[in-house]
Amino acid sequence: MDEIQLPDFVDEDLTEYYDDPDELLLYEDLEQMDKYGRFFYMFKSCVGPTTFQTVDLIGPLLAMCFILRVVSVLKLPRLLVHFVSFVCGLGALFLFAKKNSVYPLVMSALGYAILFVKNGRKGMIMAITSVTFLIVCELFIVTAENWHQVRGSQMVLVMKLISLAFDLDKDFGWKKMSFMWFLGVIRSCFLSYCCLIISACIAPWIFQEDSFKWFLAYQAAMSFRFSHYFVSFLSESTSLLSGIGTEVNQEGKQSTSWRYDVARPQHIELPRSLVEVVVHWNIPMHVFLKNYVFKKAQPLGRFMAVLLTFALSSLLHGINFQLAAVLISIGTYAYIEHVFRQKLGRIFNACILARKCRPECGHVYSQANFWVIAVNLAFSFLAVFHLAYLGIMFGGDSEVQERGYGMEHTLSKWSHLDFASHWVALGTFIFKRVCRPCGRKLRNAAELYSFIEKAVSVEADEDANCADVAVDRSKRQLPTTITPERSKGKKQLIEIGEESESSAGKGKFEEVLIFR
């Protein structure tokens, strides 16, 4: 749309020229775009309406969270505080789910009853009941459109119930209001709004519709990612506004940090690896799956534990081919990259692992090494490539989004990109397997190179030290008062001393060479 063609005929009354009202609106939009420019028109037509719609939808939710916060810090009976919490939560649920709120309420009632089980199996019983409830509702009771509206709430509720059943011994206390709490709420609200504007208004305008297909794939994936960041920071805002912070230990003292990270965009937009993307995409869910699924499945093997973790994650997100394909794909990619980079780091003794090394890692080549930086950047670009490929199918027709995308939509999007990401992952896996016999040779070559480099540096230091010692001895042997007799005798003495030192140095150098 760089060149906008307007009709040659412009009448004072455009309704006589355009019979179709849609054509009239399109002409007015094109005229506005030609008048204000591409990006100014985008801000005029998108940022304002998006802001007003968001305030209308999110404003009541933030108000209910603030009411709960005020009631919780007052010296009121705990029963009254819990009642206000119940009313505010119910109001927030009806605000977004409306008639579909009945399904989370039924799940809450079932979970509350299971919490009274006294045989020490609360966690396992809660997990089986929750997953069974999700499957039965999605397959047999609720329509696809209705379940899509309530699926996110159900997922968060199930994770909370399962973790609560395992961790009943933990307690929670309300914290007092403070200026840092106020700054934390403002920060999270501001970041949420910025991510919404980028997702809805800026990202769709970065590239033209006829641009390179991989640029368009990155654009669609970027818009989806920032919509996820919007929801994540909004979740943090509501949590902080309700008085939920993060307990940190500073110098042996417990304090409250008014941050509750749900996602960390900096580790996703500029990733070191896909492993970091998986960890920082949804931190509460990552912690839940790590503690209650991955660790309990580790006796089956590391790869099987990873596979079961992502399979359960896809099940919690809903029985949907698109989500299952994306989650299992990214889990497989992350595992292949983790093993491959772990092997490379062991071979070359370098900080090129999937996760950033600690300062005391012991690798010879640290993060500041040029080749280490180059390799890590290459894997970062590879992670961005995979994210563009996996995120392309989350954009499209809004009516289809309400029902959820099926297998045909997913495969058509990936076939448009020639299944490139899957081929690259398969190539990485084959390269890792084929190069296993070569690993020892590469490791020996790297150790030999390191040994030669150290030997050369040691010899250079020894030669420099020997030269400095010889100069010092020569200076000490010079007389203070020079006479012809003393000068002649001292000259002979210096020559003899230099010959003995040179012969001794030569013998020492020959010994070093023999040792090498």
Side-chain angles (χ1 to χ4, degrees):
M1 287 188 179
D2 288 335
E3 297 181 359
I4 302 172
Q5 296 181 354
L6 300 177
D8 297 332
F9 173 80
V10 179
D11 195 354
E12 294 180 357
D13 190 4
L14 293 175
T15 57
E16 297 180 359
Y17 183 82
Y18 292 101
D19 297 333
D20 189 355
D22 294 335
E23 292 183 1
L24 177 61
L25 292 175
L26 178 61
Y27 168 76
E28 292 176 349
D29 288 342
L30 293 176
E31 190 178 39
Q32 292 285 329
M33 191 184 303
D34 182 59
K35 180 180 179 180
Y36 295 104
R38 180 180 175 84
F39 284 97
F40 284 104
Y41 172 74
M42 176 266 295
F43 276 97
K44 180 177 179 297
S45 61
C46 181
V47 174
T50 302
T51 302
F52 287 117
Q53 291 177 7
T54 304
V55 171
D56 291 340
L57 183 63
I58 304 301
L61 175 64
L62 297 180
M64 285 184 284
C65 292
F66 183 72
I67 291 172
L68 176 61
R69 177 71 169 135
V70 173
V71 172
S72 63
V73 297
L74 297 177
K75 295 182 179 180
L76 299 175
R78 301 305 297 173
L79 184 61
L80 179 60
V81 174
H82 285 298
F83 177 75
V84 173
S85 175
F86 171 76
V87 172
C88 291
L90 200 61
L93 184 62
F94 276 101
L95 179 65
F96 292 95
K98 298 180 175 60
K99 64 179 182 179
N100 297 317
S101 302
V102 62
Y103 306 113
L105 291 177
V106 172
M107 183 68 247
S108 300
L110 289 175
Y112 188 75
I114 294 173
L115 293 178
F116 290 96
V117 175
K118 297 182 179 181
N119 61 355
R121 299 280 184 176
K122 293 186 182 70
M124 189 60 63
I125 296 175
M126 184 73 76
I128 295 174
T129 304
S130 302
V131 172
T132 304
F133 181 82
L134 293 179
I135 295 174
V136 171
C137 285
E138 186 166 3
L139 293 181
F140 305 107
I141 300 178
V142 191
T143 61
E145 292 81 0
N146 292 337
W147 186 254
H148 189 76
Q149 294 178 1
V150 78
R151 184 176 60 193
S153 301
Q154 287 287 92
M155 181 182 67
V156 175
L157 176 62
V158 166
M159 290 193 301
K160 185 62 180 177
L161 287 173
I162 294 175
S163 59
L164 180 63
F166 279 107
D167 303 327
L168 274 177
D169 55 338
K170 293 185 178 180
D171 194 12
F172 173 76
W174 298 97
K175 305 297 180 180
K176 295 181 179 179
M177 291 184 181
S178 64
F179 181 69
M180 296 305 297
W181 166 78
F182 176 75
L183 289 181
V185 172
I186 296 299
R187 166 192 165 275
S188 56
C189 289
F190 175 75
L191 292 177
S192 177
Y193 175 74
C194 290
C195 292
L196 174 64
I197 296 301
I198 293 174
S199 173
C201 302
I202 296 178
W205 288 74
I206 295 177
F207 300 112
Q208 301 290 336
E209 293 181 359
D210 56 349
S211 299
F212 182 49
K213 62 181 181 180
W214 278 101
F215 291 163
L216 297 178
Y218 178 80
Q219 175 180 269
M222 177 183 175
S223 178
F224 166 72
R225 291 198 302 270
F226 273 88
S227 67
H228 170 73
Y229 305 151
F230 159 67
V231 176
S232 300
F233 283 117
L234 180 62
S235 301
E236 181 181 2
S237 302
T238 56
S239 298
L240 296 181
L241 200 56
S242 302
I244 301 175
T246 303
E247 293 294 326
V248 295
N249 191 345
Q250 294 181 347
E251 298 179 356
K253 296 182 179 179
Q254 288 292 119
S255 61
T256 302
S257 174
W258 293 112
R259 288 188 60 174
Y260 193 79
D261 292 340
V262 178
R264 297 190 180 106
Q266 68 273 19
H267 293 283
I268 302 171
E269 297 302 312
L270 301 173
R272 178 185 176 91
S273 64
L274 283 177
V275 176
E276 287 208 341
V277 173
V278 170
V279 171
H280 298 288
W281 177 260
N282 190 332
I283 297 173
M285 189 166 192
H286 165 72
V287 173
F288 168 79
L289 293 173
K290 179 181 177 181
N291 292 334
Y292 302 107
V293 182
F294 178 77
K295 289 184 177 180
K296 296 185 181 298
Q298 267 190 322
L300 301 176
R302 191 175 184 84
F303 179 73
M304 285 301 300
V306 171
L307 196 61
L308 288 174
T309 301
F310 280 90
L312 182 60
S313 176
S314 63
L315 185 61
L316 290 176
H317 282 84
I319 303 176
N320 182 277
F321 179 83
Q322 176 202 29
L323 291 172
V326 171
L327 290 173
I328 293 177
S329 294
I330 197 172
T332 306
Y333 292 0
Y335 178 77
I336 292 174
E337 182 185 7
H338 167 72
V339 175
F340 181 56
R341 294 181 70 170
Q342 189 178 42
K343 183 175 294 186
L344 289 180
R346 187 169 60 251
I347 290 172
F348 296 103
N349 203 1
C351 295
I352 55 177
L353 304 181
R355 300 297 300 274
K356 187 176 181 180
C357 293
R358 296 179 180 179
E360 64 277 5
C361 65
H363 287 133
V364 174
Y365 301 102
S366 61
Q367 302 283 348
N369 184 272
F370 171 78
W371 293 109
V372 171
I373 295 175
V375 171
N376 288 329
L377 281 177
F379 278 106
S380 296
F381 285 120
L382 181 62
V384 172
F385 163 78
H386 286 309
L387 288 177
Y389 176 84
L390 295 174
I392 187 175
M393 76 273 302
F394 289 99
D397 189 2
S398 58
E399 294 182 0
V400 181
Q401 286 182 354
E402 292 180 359
R403 300 190 305 268
Y405 294 119
M407 181 175 65
E408 183 179 355
H409 172 84
T410 304
L411 295 180
S412 65
K413 290 288 187 180
W414 281 348
S415 64
H416 179 66
L417 298 177
D418 305 318
F419 295 97
S421 178
H422 286 92
W423 287 115
V424 170
L426 179 62
T428 306
F429 176 75
I430 293 175
F431 183 74
K432 177 181 72 69
R433 300 291 296 182
V434 170
C435 286
R436 176 176 291 183
C438 305
R440 183 171 297 177
K441 295 181 180 179
L442 291 174
R443 189 185 303 113
N444 292 338
E447 291 178 354
L448 179 62
Y449 173 77
S450 177
F451 178 77
I452 293 174
E453 186 180 27
K454 289 182 180 179
V456 171
S457 62
V458 169
E459 290 175 1
D461 293 339
E462 290 179 352
D463 292 341
N465 293 333
C466 290
D468 293 339
V469 172
V471 171
D472 292 340
R473 290 181 179 176
S474 299
K475 289 181 179 179
R476 286 197 299 269
Q477 290 169 356
L478 290 176
T480 55
T481 303
I482 301 176
T483 60
E485 294 79 5
R486 294 184 63 183
S487 176
K488 183 177 180 180
K490 184 61 69 175
K491 184 177 181 180
Q492 295 176 354
L493 181 61
I494 291 172
E495 291 176 354
I496 294 172
E498 288 179 350
E499 291 177 358
S500 62
E501 288 179 0
S502 62
S503 61
K506 182 178 180 181
K508 183 177 181 181
F509 183 72
E510 291 176 352
E511 291 178 359
V512 171
L513 289 179
I514 293 172
F515 176 75
R516 301 296 180 202

